[in-house]
Amino acid sequence: MGAEYLNVFSNKIYDDYSVDEAKVKLAKIEDEFEKNSCKFDDVKWSIFSLKINKMVNFNFSSLKSTYSNSIIFNTEVNIVDLIKCWMISNYDFYSLTTIRDSYNILVIFLDKFEYVETINHQIIDEVLTTFSNSQIQRITNTILNFSF
């Protein structure tokens, strides 16, 4: 299929400065093309991709702000802010379509595992059997890159 994958392990660490760094980078991205719309607090982003010569859209409205009751996170975290920082940290290294596809996979993962409170291999296996082998590879790469 020739799809680009994110590197398996991200070396980006998210801290108090990550949101500020993301806001600065997004301001630069908005200045690159007059139709770019990607303010950090916006629910939707539209960014022009030179590689495919069209706008790439991101919609954060389907994400809940916290997933603290699942195995994914042990503490309260604003998942939307965290994901936005993660996406922008990958901006200079990957195509917008790769970032968008990885984001969409991450949303699927979060939705499927939202209520899983313990690691249960049977549940994980059941969920993963709904995907093709290439989708499982992309899910695995994305989840590891996101660095749970």
Side-chain angles (χ1 to χ4, degrees):
M1 183 159 118
E4 180 184 31
Y5 294 116
L6 295 175
N7 283 333
V8 175
F9 294 108
S10 173
N11 60 1
K12 176 70 175 166
I13 296 172
Y14 300 97
D15 56 26
D16 294 340
Y17 302 105
S18 296
V19 171
D20 292 335
E21 290 173 8
K23 286 179 179 180
V24 169
K25 181 66 179 180
L26 286 167
K28 289 178 184 176
I29 293 168
E30 275 197 315
D31 289 343
E32 290 173 359
F33 184 70
E34 69 180 75
K35 293 185 180 181
N36 283 353
S37 173
C38 54
K39 290 184 179 35
F40 189 83
D41 294 325
D42 289 350
V43 175
K44 294 181 181 180
W45 292 350
S46 292
I47 304 172
F48 185 75
S49 169
L50 288 172
K51 186 174 182 176
I52 60 172
N53 200 31
K54 67 179 187 177
M55 298 299 286
V56 177
N57 298 301
F58 301 91
N59 187 341
F60 302 101
S61 63
S62 64
L63 281 172
K64 296 169 186 62
S65 61
T66 60
Y67 286 86
S68 63
N69 295 330
S70 70
I71 62 169
I72 299 167
F73 299 105
N74 294 329
T75 61
E76 287 286 325
V77 63
N78 185 321
I79 189 69
V80 178
D81 288 355
L82 184 62
I83 289 175
K84 287 177 178 180
C85 290
W86 170 70
M87 290 169 57
I88 293 307
S89 74
N90 282 304
Y91 180 80
D92 290 328
F93 306 105
Y94 300 98
S95 70
L96 281 170
T97 53
T98 296
I99 294 170
R100 182 202 53 212
D101 293 348
S102 297
Y103 164 72
N104 290 337
I105 286 168
L106 193 57
V107 170
I108 290 168
F109 176 83
L110 290 170
D111 287 344
K112 296 269 187 188
F113 288 94
E114 176 182 4
Y115 299 108
V116 177
E117 293 179 1
T118 60
I119 296 177
N120 181 323
H121 295 287
Q122 184 176 359
I123 292 171
I124 293 170
D125 287 345
E126 286 174 20
V127 171
L128 290 178
T129 58
T130 64
F131 298 103
S132 70
N133 286 339
S134 63
Q135 288 171 318
I136 291 170
Q137 181 181 5
R138 185 173 279 280
I139 289 168
T140 303
N141 284 345
T142 299
I143 300 311
L144 289 174
N145 180 273
F146 191 66
S147 301
F148 283 113

